[in-house]
Protein backbone atom coordinates (compact mmCIF):
# COMPACT_ATOMS: atom_id res chain seq x y z
CA UNK A 1 0.00 0.00 0.00
CA UNK A 2 2.82 2.37 0.88
CA UNK A 3 4.48 2.02 -2.51
CA UNK A 4 1.17 2.22 -4.39
CA UNK A 5 0.27 5.49 -2.64
CA UNK A 6 3.77 7.01 -2.53
CA UNK A 7 3.01 9.59 -5.23
CA UNK A 8 0.17 10.93 -3.09
CA UNK A 9 2.07 10.87 0.24
CA UNK A 10 2.38 14.64 0.62
CA UNK A 11 -1.36 15.06 0.02
CA UNK A 12 -2.60 12.44 2.51
CA UNK A 13 -2.71 12.60 6.29
CA UNK A 14 -4.07 9.18 7.19
CA UNK A 15 -5.01 5.83 5.67
CA UNK A 16 -7.39 3.44 7.43
CA UNK A 17 -7.81 -0.17 6.28
CA UNK A 18 -10.67 -2.35 7.52
CA UNK A 19 -11.31 -6.03 6.86
CA UNK A 20 -14.57 -7.89 7.36
CA UNK A 21 -15.60 -11.50 6.89
CA UNK A 22 -19.11 -10.93 5.58
CA UNK A 23 -20.44 -14.50 5.83
CA UNK A 24 -18.56 -15.64 8.91
CA UNK A 25 -17.68 -19.33 8.83
CA UNK A 26 -19.43 -19.99 5.50
CA UNK A 27 -17.33 -20.08 2.34
CA UNK A 28 -17.62 -17.94 -0.75
CA UNK A 29 -16.78 -14.46 -1.93
CA UNK A 30 -17.07 -12.83 1.45
CA UNK A 31 -13.79 -11.18 2.41
CA UNK A 32 -14.30 -7.42 2.38
CA UNK A 33 -11.64 -4.71 2.48
CA UNK A 34 -12.41 -1.01 2.88
CA UNK A 35 -9.70 1.63 2.62
CA UNK A 36 -10.23 5.27 3.57
CA UNK A 37 -7.77 8.04 2.73
CA UNK A 38 -7.85 11.38 4.54
CA UNK A 39 -6.70 14.27 2.38
CA UNK A 40 -4.29 16.88 3.70
CA UNK A 41 -6.45 19.81 2.53
CA UNK A 42 -9.30 18.70 4.81
CA UNK A 43 -11.66 17.71 2.05
CA UNK A 44 -13.99 14.75 2.47
CA UNK A 45 -12.15 11.45 2.78
CA UNK A 46 -11.93 9.13 -0.20
CA UNK A 47 -13.19 5.62 0.61
CA UNK A 48 -13.28 2.49 -1.54
CA UNK A 49 -14.11 -1.13 -0.95
CA UNK A 50 -13.75 -4.51 -2.55
CA UNK A 51 -15.02 -8.01 -1.86
CA UNK A 52 -13.20 -11.17 -2.91
CA UNK A 53 -12.60 -14.81 -1.96
CA UNK A 54 -9.43 -13.96 -0.02
CA UNK A 55 -8.34 -11.08 2.17
CA UNK A 56 -5.29 -10.54 -0.03
CA UNK A 57 -7.33 -10.27 -3.22
CA UNK A 58 -9.85 -7.92 -1.58
CA UNK A 59 -6.97 -5.75 -0.31
CA UNK A 60 -5.29 -5.68 -3.73
CA UNK A 61 -8.55 -4.79 -5.50
CA UNK A 62 -9.37 -2.05 -2.97
CA UNK A 63 -5.85 -0.63 -3.31
CA UNK A 64 -6.23 -0.43 -7.09
CA UNK A 65 -9.58 1.31 -6.67
CA UNK A 66 -8.09 3.79 -4.19
CA UNK A 67 -5.21 4.70 -6.50
CA UNK A 68 -7.71 5.31 -9.29
CA UNK A 69 -10.04 7.35 -7.07
CA UNK A 70 -7.21 9.49 -5.72
CA UNK A 71 -5.86 10.11 -9.22
CA UNK A 72 -9.28 11.32 -10.34
CA UNK A 73 -9.75 13.45 -7.23
CA UNK A 74 -6.39 15.17 -7.54
CA UNK A 75 -6.77 15.60 -11.33
CA UNK A 76 -10.09 17.40 -10.75
CA UNK A 77 -8.51 19.63 -8.11
CA UNK A 78 -5.67 20.47 -10.50
CA UNK A 79 -8.15 21.37 -13.25
CA UNK A 80 -9.93 23.83 -10.95
CA UNK A 81 -6.73 25.74 -10.35
Amino acid sequence: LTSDLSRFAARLTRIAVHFKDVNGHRHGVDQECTIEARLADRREPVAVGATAETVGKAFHDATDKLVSALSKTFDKLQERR
Side-chain angles (χ1 to χ4, degrees):
L1 184 61
T2 301
S3 63
D4 289 332
L5 299 180
S6 63
R7 65 182 166 146
F8 307 115
R11 302 174 97 175
L12 301 175
T13 59
R14 188 175 128 215
I15 301 292
V17 180
H18 302 278
F19 295 100
K20 181 179 179 181
D21 186 348
V22 178
N23 292 332
H25 65 283
R26 292 175 282 174
H27 299 288
V29 181
D30 69 338
Q31 301 299 316
E32 184 176 273
C33 176
T34 304
I35 306 175
E36 179 183 84
R38 297 280 178 163
L39 308 183
D41 60 2
R42 299 181 189 248
R43 295 184 186 277
E44 291 295 314
V46 175
V48 298
T51 304
E53 290 182 2
T54 66
V55 171
K57 176 73 170 136
F59 178 72
H60 178 75
D61 292 350
T63 300
D64 288 346
K65 287 180 180 182
L66 182 61
V67 169
S68 178
L70 289 173
S71 293
K72 289 176 187 175
T73 297
F74 292 132
D75 286 348
K76 285 180 184 179
L77 291 174
Q78 186 66 27
E79 289 175 5
R80 291 180 187 165
R81 292 181 182 170

Coordinates of all heavy atoms in Angstrom, one line a residue:
L1 N 0.8 -1.2 0.0 CA 0.0 0.0 0.0 C 0.9 1.2 0.0 O 0.6 2.2 -0.7 CB -0.9 0.0 1.2 CG -2.0 1.1 1.3 CD1 -2.9 1.1 0.1 CD2 -2.8 0.9 2.6
T2 N 1.9 1.2 0.8 CA 2.8 2.4 0.9 C 3.4 2.7 -0.5 O 3.4 3.9 -0.9 CB 4.0 2.1 1.9 OG1 3.4 1.8 3.2 CG2 4.9 3.3 2.0
S3 N 3.9 1.7 -1.2 CA 4.5 2.0 -2.5 C 3.4 2.4 -3.5 O 3.7 3.3 -4.3 CB 5.3 0.8 -3.0 OG 4.4 -0.3 -3.2
D4 N 2.2 1.9 -3.5 CA 1.2 2.2 -4.4 C 0.7 3.7 -4.2 O 0.3 4.3 -5.1 CB 0.0 1.3 -4.3 CG 0.2 -0.1 -4.8 OD1 1.1 -0.2 -5.7 OD2 -0.4 -1.1 -4.3
L5 N 0.7 4.1 -3.0 CA 0.3 5.5 -2.6 C 1.4 6.5 -2.5 O 1.1 7.7 -2.1 CB -0.6 5.5 -1.4 CG -1.8 4.6 -1.4 CD1 -2.5 4.6 -0.1 CD2 -2.7 5.0 -2.5
S6 N 2.6 6.1 -2.8 CA 3.8 7.0 -2.5 C 3.7 8.3 -3.3 O 4.1 9.4 -2.7 CB 5.1 6.3 -2.9 OG 5.1 6.0 -4.2
R7 N 3.1 8.3 -4.5 CA 3.0 9.6 -5.2 C 2.0 10.6 -4.6 O 2.0 11.7 -4.9 CB 2.7 9.3 -6.7 CG 1.3 8.7 -6.9 CD 1.1 8.4 -8.4 NE 0.0 7.6 -8.6 CZ -0.8 7.7 -9.7 NH1 -0.6 8.6 -10.6 NH2 -1.8 6.8 -9.8
F8 N 1.1 10.1 -3.7 CA 0.2 10.9 -3.1 C 0.6 11.3 -1.6 O -0.2 12.0 -0.9 CB -1.2 10.2 -3.0 CG -1.7 9.8 -4.4 CD1 -1.9 8.4 -4.6 CD2 -2.0 10.6 -5.4 CE1 -2.3 7.9 -5.8 CE2 -2.5 10.2 -6.6 CZ -2.6 8.8 -6.8
A9 N 1.7 10.8 -1.2 CA 2.1 10.9 0.2 C 2.0 12.3 0.8 O 1.5 12.4 1.9 CB 3.5 10.3 0.4
A10 N 2.4 13.3 0.1 CA 2.4 14.6 0.6 C 1.0 15.2 0.7 O 0.7 16.2 1.4 CB 3.2 15.5 -0.3
R11 N 0.0 14.5 0.1 CA -1.4 15.1 0.0 C -2.3 14.3 0.9 O -3.5 14.5 0.9 CB -1.9 15.1 -1.4 CG -0.9 15.9 -2.3 CD -1.3 15.8 -3.7 NE -2.2 16.9 -4.1 CZ -2.6 17.2 -5.3 NH1 -2.3 16.4 -6.3 NH2 -3.4 18.2 -5.5
L12 N -1.8 13.3 1.6 CA -2.6 12.4 2.5 C -2.1 12.6 3.9 O -0.9 12.7 4.2 CB -2.5 11.0 2.1 CG -2.9 10.6 0.7 CD1 -2.6 9.2 0.4 CD2 -4.4 11.0 0.4
T13 N -3.1 12.5 4.9 CA -2.7 12.6 6.3 C -2.9 11.3 7.0 O -2.2 11.0 8.0 CB -3.6 13.7 7.0 OG1 -4.9 13.3 6.9 CG2 -3.3 15.0 6.5
R14 N -3.8 10.4 6.5 CA -4.1 9.2 7.2 C -4.7 8.2 6.2 O -5.5 8.6 5.4 CB -5.0 9.4 8.4 CG -5.2 8.3 9.3 CD -6.1 8.6 10.5 NE -7.1 7.7 10.5 CZ -8.4 7.9 10.9 NH1 -8.7 9.1 11.2 NH2 -9.3 6.9 10.9
I15 N -4.4 6.9 6.4 CA -5.0 5.8 5.7 C -5.5 4.8 6.7 O -4.8 4.5 7.6 CB -4.0 5.1 4.8 CG1 -3.3 6.0 3.8 CG2 -4.6 3.9 4.1 CD1 -4.3 6.6 2.7
A16 N -6.8 4.4 6.5 CA -7.4 3.4 7.4 C -7.8 2.3 6.6 O -8.5 2.4 5.5 CB -8.6 4.0 8.2
V17 N -7.5 1.0 7.0 CA -7.8 -0.2 6.3 C -8.6 -1.0 7.2 O -8.2 -1.3 8.4 CB -6.5 -0.9 5.8 CG1 -6.9 -2.2 5.1 CG2 -5.7 -0.1 5.0
H18 N -9.8 -1.5 6.7 CA -10.7 -2.3 7.5 C -11.0 -3.6 6.7 O -11.2 -3.6 5.5 CB -12.0 -1.6 7.8 CG -11.8 -0.3 8.5 ND1 -11.6 -0.3 9.9 CD2 -11.7 0.9 8.1 CE1 -11.4 1.0 10.2 NE2 -11.5 1.7 9.2
F19 N -11.0 -4.7 7.5 CA -11.3 -6.0 6.9 C -12.5 -6.6 7.6 O -12.7 -6.4 8.8 CB -10.2 -7.0 7.0 CG -8.9 -6.6 6.2 CD1 -7.9 -6.0 6.9 CD2 -8.8 -6.9 4.9 CE1 -6.7 -5.7 6.2 CE2 -7.7 -6.5 4.2 CZ -6.7 -5.9 4.8
K20 N -13.4 -7.3 6.8 CA -14.6 -7.9 7.4 C -14.9 -9.2 6.7 O -14.8 -9.3 5.4 CB -15.7 -6.9 7.2 CG -17.1 -7.4 7.7 CD -18.1 -6.4 7.5 CE -19.5 -6.8 8.0 NZ -20.5 -5.9 7.8
D21 N -15.2 -10.2 7.4 CA -15.6 -11.5 6.9 C -17.1 -11.5 6.9 O -17.8 -11.7 7.9 CB -15.1 -12.6 7.8 CG -15.4 -14.0 7.2 OD1 -16.2 -14.1 6.2 OD2 -14.8 -15.0 7.7
V22 N -17.7 -11.2 5.7 CA -19.1 -10.9 5.6 C -20.0 -12.1 6.0 O -21.0 -12.0 6.7 CB -19.4 -10.5 4.1 CG1 -20.9 -10.3 4.0 CG2 -18.7 -9.2 3.8
N23 N -19.6 -13.3 5.6 CA -20.4 -14.5 5.8 C -20.0 -15.4 7.0 O -20.4 -16.5 7.2 CB -20.5 -15.4 4.6 CG -21.3 -14.7 3.5 OD1 -22.1 -13.9 3.7 ND2 -20.9 -15.1 2.2
G24 N -19.0 -14.9 7.8 CA -18.6 -15.6 8.9 C -17.9 -16.9 8.5 O -17.0 -16.9 7.6
H25 N -18.3 -18.0 9.1 CA -17.7 -19.3 8.8 C -18.0 -20.0 7.5 O -17.4 -20.9 7.1 CB -18.0 -20.3 10.0 CG -19.5 -20.6 10.0 ND1 -20.4 -19.8 10.5 CD2 -20.1 -21.7 9.6 CE1 -21.6 -20.3 10.5 NE2 -21.5 -21.5 9.9
R26 N -19.0 -19.5 6.8 CA -19.4 -20.0 5.5 C -18.4 -19.6 4.4 O -17.8 -18.6 4.5 CB -20.8 -19.5 5.1 CG -21.9 -20.1 6.0 CD -23.2 -19.5 5.7 NE -23.2 -18.1 6.3 CZ -24.2 -17.3 6.2 NH1 -25.2 -17.5 5.4 NH2 -24.1 -16.1 6.8
H27 N -18.3 -20.4 3.4 CA -17.3 -20.1 2.3 C -18.0 -19.2 1.3 O -19.2 -19.0 1.2 CB -16.8 -21.4 1.7 CG -16.1 -22.3 2.7 ND1 -14.9 -22.0 3.2 CD2 -16.5 -23.4 3.3 CE1 -14.5 -22.9 4.0 NE2 -15.5 -23.8 4.2
G28 N -17.1 -18.7 0.4 CA -17.6 -17.9 -0.8 C -16.9 -16.6 -0.9 O -15.9 -16.4 -0.2
V29 N -17.4 -15.8 -1.7 CA -16.8 -14.5 -1.9 C -17.3 -13.6 -0.8 O -18.3 -12.9 -1.0 CB -17.2 -13.9 -3.3 CG1 -16.5 -12.5 -3.5 CG2 -16.8 -14.9 -4.4
D30 N -16.6 -13.6 0.3 CA -17.1 -12.8 1.4 C -16.0 -12.1 2.2 O -16.3 -11.6 3.3 CB -17.8 -13.8 2.4 CG -16.9 -14.8 3.1 OD1 -15.8 -15.0 2.6 OD2 -17.3 -15.3 4.1
Q31 N -14.8 -12.0 1.7 CA -13.8 -11.2 2.4 C -13.8 -9.7 1.9 O -13.7 -9.5 0.7 CB -12.4 -11.8 2.2 CG -12.3 -13.2 2.6 CD -12.5 -13.4 4.1 OE1 -12.0 -12.6 4.9 NE2 -13.3 -14.4 4.5
E32 N -14.1 -8.8 2.8 CA -14.3 -7.4 2.4 C -13.2 -6.6 2.9 O -12.8 -6.7 4.1 CB -15.6 -6.9 2.9 CG -16.0 -5.6 2.5 CD -17.4 -5.2 3.0 OE1 -18.4 -5.5 2.3 OE2 -17.5 -4.7 4.1
C33 N -12.7 -5.7 2.1 CA -11.6 -4.7 2.5 C -12.1 -3.3 2.1 O -12.6 -3.1 1.0 CB -10.3 -5.0 1.8 SG -9.0 -3.8 2.1
T34 N -12.1 -2.4 3.1 CA -12.4 -1.0 2.9 C -11.2 -0.2 3.2 O -10.6 -0.4 4.3 CB -13.6 -0.6 3.8 OG1 -14.7 -1.5 3.5 CG2 -14.0 0.8 3.5
I35 N -10.8 0.7 2.4 CA -9.7 1.6 2.6 C -10.2 3.1 2.5 O -10.9 3.4 1.6 CB -8.6 1.4 1.6 CG1 -8.1 -0.1 1.6 CG2 -7.4 2.3 2.0 CD1 -7.1 -0.4 0.5
E36 N -9.8 3.9 3.5 CA -10.2 5.3 3.6 C -9.0 6.1 3.6 O -8.1 5.9 4.4 CB -11.1 5.5 4.8 CG -11.5 7.0 4.9 CD -12.3 7.2 6.2 OE1 -11.7 7.4 7.2 OE2 -13.5 7.2 6.1
A37 N -8.9 7.1 2.8 CA -7.8 8.0 2.7 C -8.2 9.4 3.1 O -9.2 9.9 2.6 CB -7.2 8.1 1.3
R38 N -7.6 10.0 4.1 CA -7.8 11.4 4.5 C -6.9 12.3 3.8 O -5.7 12.1 3.8 CB -7.6 11.5 6.0 CG -8.5 10.7 6.9 CD -9.8 11.3 7.0 NE -10.7 10.5 7.8 CZ -11.8 10.9 8.4 NH1 -12.2 12.2 8.2 NH2 -12.6 10.1 9.1
L39 N -7.5 13.3 3.2 CA -6.7 14.3 2.4 C -6.2 15.4 3.2 O -6.8 15.9 4.2 CB -7.6 14.8 1.3 CG -8.3 13.8 0.4 CD1 -9.0 14.5 -0.7 CD2 -7.3 12.8 -0.2
A40 N -5.0 15.9 2.9 CA -4.3 16.9 3.7 C -5.0 18.2 3.7 O -4.9 19.0 4.6 CB -2.9 17.1 3.2
D41 N -5.8 18.5 2.6 CA -6.4 19.8 2.5 C -7.8 19.8 3.2 O -8.6 20.7 2.9 CB -6.5 20.3 1.1 CG -7.3 19.3 0.2 OD1 -7.8 18.3 0.7 OD2 -7.3 19.6 -1.0
R42 N -8.1 18.8 4.0 CA -9.3 18.7 4.8 C -10.6 18.5 4.0 O -11.7 18.9 4.5 CB -9.4 19.9 5.8 CG -8.3 19.9 6.7 CD -8.4 21.1 7.7 NE -7.2 21.3 8.4 CZ -7.1 21.0 9.7 NH1 -8.2 20.7 10.4 NH2 -6.0 21.2 10.4
R43 N -10.5 18.0 2.8 CA -11.7 17.7 2.0 C -12.2 16.4 2.6 O -11.7 15.8 3.5 CB -11.3 17.5 0.6 CG -10.8 18.8 -0.1 CD -10.6 18.6 -1.5 NE -10.0 19.8 -2.1 CZ -10.6 20.8 -2.5 NH1 -11.9 20.9 -2.4 NH2 -10.0 21.9 -3.0
E44 N -13.4 16.0 2.1 CA -14.0 14.8 2.5 C -13.0 13.6 2.2 O -12.3 13.6 1.2 CB -15.3 14.5 1.7 CG -16.4 15.5 2.1 CD -16.8 15.3 3.5 OE1 -17.1 14.2 3.9 OE2 -17.0 16.3 4.2
P45 N -13.0 12.6 3.0 CA -12.1 11.4 2.8 C -12.6 10.7 1.5 O -13.8 10.7 1.1 CB -12.3 10.6 4.0 CG -13.5 11.1 4.7 CD -13.8 12.5 4.3
V46 N -11.7 10.0 0.9 CA -11.9 9.1 -0.2 C -11.9 7.7 0.3 O -11.0 7.2 0.9 CB -10.9 9.3 -1.3 CG1 -11.1 8.3 -2.4 CG2 -10.8 10.7 -1.8
A47 N -13.1 7.0 0.1 CA -13.2 5.6 0.6 C -13.6 4.7 -0.5 O -14.4 5.1 -1.4 CB -14.2 5.6 1.7
V48 N -13.0 3.5 -0.5 CA -13.3 2.5 -1.5 C -13.4 1.2 -0.8 O -12.9 1.0 0.3 CB -12.2 2.4 -2.6 CG1 -12.1 3.7 -3.4 CG2 -10.9 2.1 -2.1
G49 N -14.0 0.2 -1.5 CA -14.1 -1.1 -0.9 C -14.1 -2.2 -2.0 O -14.4 -1.9 -3.2
A50 N -13.7 -3.4 -1.6 CA -13.7 -4.5 -2.5 C -14.1 -5.8 -1.8 O -13.7 -5.9 -0.6 CB -12.4 -4.6 -3.2
T51 N -14.7 -6.7 -2.4 CA -15.0 -8.0 -1.9 C -14.4 -9.1 -2.8 O -14.6 -9.0 -4.0 CB -16.5 -8.2 -1.7 OG1 -17.1 -7.1 -1.0 CG2 -16.9 -9.5 -1.0
A52 N -13.8 -10.1 -2.1 CA -13.2 -11.2 -2.9 C -13.2 -12.5 -2.1 O -13.6 -12.5 -0.9 CB -11.8 -10.8 -3.3
E53 N -12.7 -13.5 -2.7 CA -12.6 -14.8 -2.0 C -11.5 -14.8 -0.9 O -11.7 -15.6 0.1 CB -12.3 -15.9 -3.0 CG -13.5 -16.2 -3.9 CD -13.3 -17.3 -4.8 OE1 -12.2 -18.0 -4.8 OE2 -14.2 -17.6 -5.6
T54 N -10.5 -14.0 -1.0 CA -9.4 -14.0 0.0 C -9.2 -12.5 0.4 O -9.5 -11.6 -0.3 CB -8.1 -14.5 -0.6 OG1 -7.6 -13.6 -1.6 CG2 -8.2 -15.9 -1.1
V55 N -8.7 -12.4 1.6 CA -8.3 -11.1 2.2 C -7.3 -10.4 1.3 O -7.4 -9.2 1.0 CB -7.8 -11.2 3.6 CG1 -7.3 -9.9 4.1 CG2 -8.9 -11.7 4.5
G56 N -6.3 -11.1 0.8 CA -5.3 -10.5 0.0 C -5.8 -10.0 -1.3 O -5.5 -8.9 -1.8
K57 N -6.7 -10.7 -2.0 CA -7.3 -10.3 -3.2 C -8.2 -9.1 -3.0 O -8.2 -8.1 -3.7 CB -8.1 -11.4 -3.8 CG -8.9 -11.0 -5.1 CD -8.0 -10.9 -6.3 CE -8.8 -10.7 -7.6 NZ -8.3 -9.7 -8.4
A58 N -9.0 -9.1 -1.9 CA -9.8 -7.9 -1.6 C -9.0 -6.7 -1.3 O -9.3 -5.6 -1.8 CB -10.7 -8.2 -0.4
F59 N -7.9 -6.9 -0.6 CA -7.0 -5.8 -0.3 C -6.4 -5.2 -1.6 O -6.3 -4.0 -1.8 CB -5.9 -6.2 0.7 CG -4.9 -5.2 1.0 CD1 -5.2 -4.1 1.8 CD2 -3.6 -5.2 0.5 CE1 -4.2 -3.1 2.1 CE2 -2.6 -4.3 0.7 CZ -3.0 -3.2 1.6
H60 N -5.9 -6.1 -2.5 CA -5.3 -5.7 -3.7 C -6.3 -4.9 -4.6 O -6.0 -3.8 -5.1 CB -4.8 -6.9 -4.5 CG -4.2 -6.6 -5.8 ND1 -2.9 -6.0 -6.0 CD2 -4.7 -6.7 -7.1 CE1 -2.7 -5.8 -7.2 NE2 -3.7 -6.3 -7.9
D61 N -7.5 -5.4 -4.7 CA -8.5 -4.8 -5.5 C -8.9 -3.4 -4.9 O -9.1 -2.5 -5.7 CB -9.8 -5.7 -5.6 CG -9.6 -6.9 -6.4 OD1 -8.5 -7.1 -7.1 OD2 -10.5 -7.8 -6.4
A62 N -9.0 -3.3 -3.6 CA -9.4 -2.1 -3.0 C -8.2 -1.1 -3.2 O -8.5 0.1 -3.4 CB -9.7 -2.3 -1.5
T63 N -7.0 -1.5 -3.1 CA -5.8 -0.6 -3.3 C -5.9 -0.1 -4.7 O -5.7 1.1 -4.9 CB -4.5 -1.4 -3.1 OG1 -4.5 -1.8 -1.7 CG2 -3.3 -0.5 -3.3
D64 N -6.1 -0.9 -5.7 CA -6.2 -0.4 -7.1 C -7.3 0.6 -7.2 O -7.2 1.6 -7.9 CB -6.5 -1.6 -8.0 CG -5.3 -2.5 -8.2 OD1 -4.2 -2.1 -7.8 OD2 -5.5 -3.6 -8.8
K65 N -8.5 0.4 -6.6 CA -9.6 1.3 -6.7 C -9.2 2.6 -6.0 O -9.6 3.7 -6.5 CB -10.8 0.7 -6.0 CG -11.5 -0.4 -6.8 CD -12.7 -0.9 -6.0 CE -13.4 -1.9 -6.8 NZ -14.7 -2.4 -6.1
L66 N -8.5 2.6 -4.9 CA -8.1 3.8 -4.2 C -7.1 4.6 -5.0 O -7.3 5.8 -5.1 CB -7.5 3.5 -2.8 CG -7.1 4.7 -2.0 CD1 -8.3 5.6 -1.7 CD2 -6.4 4.3 -0.7
V67 N -6.2 4.0 -5.6 CA -5.2 4.7 -6.5 C -6.0 5.4 -7.6 O -5.7 6.6 -7.9 CB -4.1 3.7 -7.1 CG1 -3.3 4.4 -8.2 CG2 -3.2 3.3 -5.9
S68 N -6.9 4.7 -8.2 CA -7.7 5.3 -9.3 C -8.6 6.5 -8.8 O -8.6 7.5 -9.4 CB -8.6 4.2 -9.9 OG -9.4 4.8 -10.9
A69 N -9.2 6.3 -7.6 CA -10.0 7.4 -7.1 C -9.2 8.6 -6.7 O -9.6 9.7 -6.9 CB -10.8 6.8 -5.9
L70 N -8.1 8.4 -6.1 CA -7.2 9.5 -5.7 C -6.7 10.2 -7.0 O -6.6 11.5 -7.0 CB -6.0 9.0 -4.8 CG -6.4 8.6 -3.4 CD1 -5.2 8.0 -2.7 CD2 -7.0 9.8 -2.6
S71 N -6.3 9.5 -8.0 CA -5.9 10.1 -9.2 C -6.9 11.0 -9.8 O -6.7 12.2 -10.2 CB -5.5 9.0 -10.3 OG -4.3 8.3 -9.9
K72 N -8.2 10.5 -9.8 CA -9.3 11.3 -10.3 C -9.5 12.5 -9.5 O -9.7 13.6 -10.0 CB -10.5 10.5 -10.4 CG -10.5 9.4 -11.5 CD -11.7 8.6 -11.5 CE -11.6 7.4 -12.5 NZ -12.7 6.5 -12.5
T73 N -9.5 12.3 -8.2 CA -9.7 13.4 -7.2 C -8.7 14.5 -7.4 O -9.1 15.7 -7.5 CB -9.7 12.9 -5.8 OG1 -10.8 12.0 -5.6 CG2 -9.9 14.1 -4.8
F74 N -7.4 14.2 -7.4 CA -6.4 15.2 -7.5 C -6.3 15.8 -8.9 O -6.0 17.0 -9.1 CB -5.0 14.6 -7.1 CG -5.0 14.3 -5.6 CD1 -4.5 13.1 -5.2 CD2 -5.4 15.2 -4.7 CE1 -4.5 12.8 -3.8 CE2 -5.4 14.9 -3.3 CZ -4.9 13.7 -2.9
D75 N -6.7 15.0 -10.0 CA -6.8 15.6 -11.3 C -7.9 16.7 -11.4 O -7.7 17.7 -12.0 CB -7.1 14.5 -12.4 CG -5.9 13.6 -12.7 OD1 -4.7 14.0 -12.2 OD2 -6.0 12.6 -13.3
K76 N -9.0 16.4 -10.8 CA -10.1 17.4 -10.7 C -9.7 18.7 -10.0 O -10.0 19.8 -10.4 CB -11.3 16.8 -10.1 CG -12.1 15.8 -11.0 CD -13.3 15.3 -10.3 CE -14.0 14.2 -11.1 NZ -15.2 13.7 -10.4
L77 N -9.0 18.5 -8.9 CA -8.5 19.6 -8.1 C -7.5 20.4 -8.9 O -7.5 21.7 -8.9 CB -7.9 19.2 -6.8 CG -8.8 18.6 -5.8 CD1 -8.0 18.0 -4.6 CD2 -9.8 19.6 -5.3
Q78 N -6.7 19.8 -9.7 CA -5.7 20.5 -10.5 C -6.4 21.3 -11.6 O -6.0 22.4 -11.9 CB -4.7 19.5 -11.1 CG -3.5 20.1 -11.8 CD -2.6 20.9 -10.9 OE1 -2.5 20.6 -9.8 NE2 -1.9 21.8 -11.5
E79 N -7.4 20.7 -12.2 CA -8.2 21.4 -13.3 C -8.8 22.6 -12.8 O -8.9 23.6 -13.5 CB -9.2 20.4 -13.8 CG -8.7 19.3 -14.7 CD -9.8 18.3 -15.1 OE1 -10.9 18.6 -14.9 OE2 -9.4 17.3 -15.7
R80 N -9.3 22.7 -11.5 CA -9.9 23.8 -10.9 C -9.0 25.0 -10.7 O -9.4 26.1 -10.7 CB -10.6 23.5 -9.6 CG -11.8 22.6 -9.8 CD -12.4 22.2 -8.5 NE -13.4 21.2 -8.7 CZ -14.0 20.5 -7.7 NH1 -13.6 20.7 -6.5 NH2 -14.9 19.6 -7.9
R81 N -7.7 24.7 -10.6 CA -6.7 25.7 -10.3 C -6.4 26.3 -11.6 O -6.1 27.1 -12.2 CB -5.5 25.2 -9.7 CG -5.8 24.7 -8.3 CD -4.6 24.2 -7.6 NE -4.9 23.7 -6.3 CZ -4.2 23.0 -5.5 NH1 -3.0 22.7 -5.9 NH2 -4.6 22.6 -4.4

